[in-house]
Amino acid sequence: MTTTTMATDPKYQTSLLTAQHSQGHIHLILGANPLAASRATQSLASGAKPILISSSSPTSQLHYAIEAHIAAGRLTHLPRPFEDTDLFTLGRPAVDGIVDAVFVTSARDPLAPHVSALCMRHRIPVNVVDSPALCSFSLLSVHVDGPLQIGVTTNGRGCKLASRIRREVAGGLPRGLGDACARLGDARRKVLEEVELDRDGEEEEEGGGGVDDSVEQGAGLNRLVTEADRKTRRIRWLAQVCEYWPLRRLAGVSDQDVEGILRSYESNVRGLSSSSSGDGGSPPGRRMGRVVLAGSGPGHPDLLTRATHKAIMAADLVLADKLVPAGVLDLIPRRTEVRIARKFPGNADQAQDELLETALAGVKEGKTVLRLKQGDPFVYGRGGEEVSFFRAHGVEVTVLPGITSSLSAPLFAGIPATQRDVADQVLICTGTGKKGKPPVPPEFVGSRTVVFLMALHRISGLVRELTTHLEEEGEEKERRKLWPVDTPCAVVERASCPDQRVIRTTLRYVAEAIEQEGSRPPGLLVVGRACEALYTPERGRFWVVEDGFKGLDLDLDLGLGVDGGERSGTTGGGMEKTGVLVA
Ligand code: SAH
């Protein structure tokens, strides 16, 4: 699984969590109790070859699971006392006979301190049950589902608690996620093999990495795909599927879906056109359906309007944009057909065409088609274009507004965009122009709050345009006013979602902050003094990261996270300050 950088509080020391590749390793297990049996089972599951040493239990009295492993020839049993030389002789020839790990399964084993000291001296990983001081590593409470493993540790604060948390985390996951990991992993491998991508180039980042799950989502996920890298489209699409599809939908990914992903963009074939082919004109006697174009708000399902909710319940076919949040998609009745747009930068036109054609086909079949868009449909949602398209085809369209991220994300970050005496205007812009060209940068106005959507993937360029004159602007022209590099700004990502993140900084450091913290799309940039209307920056800090969304549960708290610098990390699921760089 991908490790996300939630709060790393310097108050607590944490461990470096790793996944040991143990194929063929020799694990030495001391003891013959039930724990020894379970260690042997875990060791075998990881592909290692366990050797169990126990002198106390005669073979006839071994734990039944141990007996079964021995009988099946999976486990070597040495019925004798441990000897120091075992550490250096029982291992693989490839590592000069040194064993790969040692598990002491009884804390009362009088040999435990000695074995531990010996292992540590020779850098052999050692674990002694219930004895943190004697361990060089500890085992996690693990949930396993196919190739997916989720491990939890409280770093010595209690294994009962760890296993409770693990159960809770696992219980919240949709069924079938392990199979989905396997399927999508296979698909990724196939695509990579086919297109022979440069493995240490960008595609590792785009595709989510090969073996290392700790690589955060790089800022390049939403980089534009140009004609030149058409070959990489499928891998980009796969990365987008993994990033944006709701987990529930991902868990249900079928062979057919994977097949579709593999086939898509091979030759610019339209993958979604199955139901949209045809010659136009509704079948005789059938009434035309209609289109509802609705906004689904920034993320949290409570931010849907009642009108959009009604439209969701009434639709026969839902055509959702990629960014429509999972919590909203979860509201769609099971019986309703849902399609999610296959949009990614550089492919938006094609995905849009596919969706419109599908919508038209649905309407001709008499269906009520809901075009569900993120935020508000007329704020950078191509909503207007869609209305024109449907009108041109004689289709009736009802447009329902949504809460736009451009105004609600600043709010959820505690930024009053038009604070009196601070800002008297708000400008909503895109950071990416048509065909990927940068749009004209907005001029500096001290009392202006600027919200940039679709901008974070090219943050360095944007900051350069805002703060310096560009060569092509020419010397003689009346010069555009530049934004001072110390202008406060904030990156607000996944606003109103449980993993909302806010990075507060200035134009000087914002690109570096994103580079270091990674990106968590979708996100936007707010620039202007309003960013510091309710927030006082702490001296000597280049940027501050706040992780988590306080939620909209009115019973709990009406604060909505707008209380500036007073937040603490102690309110469950609330805001947490992290990742601070000191000057
Ligand atoms: N119609 C949408 C905007 C579509 S453009 C609206 O009104 O919100 C997509 C951009 O919106 C993203 O690139 C990102 O900049 C922004 N965005 C959408 N949802 C967001 C969210 N929950 N948090 C922060 N930014 C968001």
Side-chain angles (χ1 to χ4, degrees), residues 25 64 106 191 211 257 295 307 333 335 371 405 411 456 524 536:
H25 284 193
Y64 67 91
S106 164
V191 176
V211 274
D257 290 327
R335 59 170 194 281
R371 266 297 281 128
S405 65
L411 179 146
L456 298 183
L524 50 74
T536 311

Side-chain angles (χ1 to χ4, degrees), residues 222 244 297-300 323 325 373-382 402-409 452-457 492-497 500 520-525:
N222 285 332
Y244 290 108
H300 197 293
L323 285 179
K373 297 191 150 284
Q374 202 249 357
D376 183 277
F378 278 3
V379 178
Y380 293 116
R382 292 187 176 216
I403 294 182
T404 175
S405 65
S406 52
L407 295 175
S408 58
F452 291 96
L453 306 186
M454 301 176 279
L456 298 183
H457 62 283
V492 190
E493 293 168 291
R494 302 189 62 77
S496 83
C497 301
Q500 171 178 303
R520 202 178 280 186
L524 50 74
L525 177 73

Side-chain angles (χ1 to χ4, degrees), residues 106-129:
S106 164
R108 278 170 302 168
D109 188 333
L111 270 182
H114 169 72
V115 174
S116 164
L118 196 57
C119 286
M120 290 205 193
R121 184 150 18 105
H122 293 277
R123 302 211 197 132
I124 300 171
V126 58
N127 175 272
V128 181
V129 66

Side-chain angles (χ1 to χ4, degrees), residues 180-201:
C181 291
R183 281 207 171 93
L184 292 167
D186 283 350
R188 180 173 185 279
R189 194 178 34 76
K190 273 191 202 153
V191 176
L192 283 174
E193 276 169 12
E194 275 177 35
V195 297
E196 293 170 355
L197 290 171
D198 174 8
R199 292 202 133 255
D200 46 27

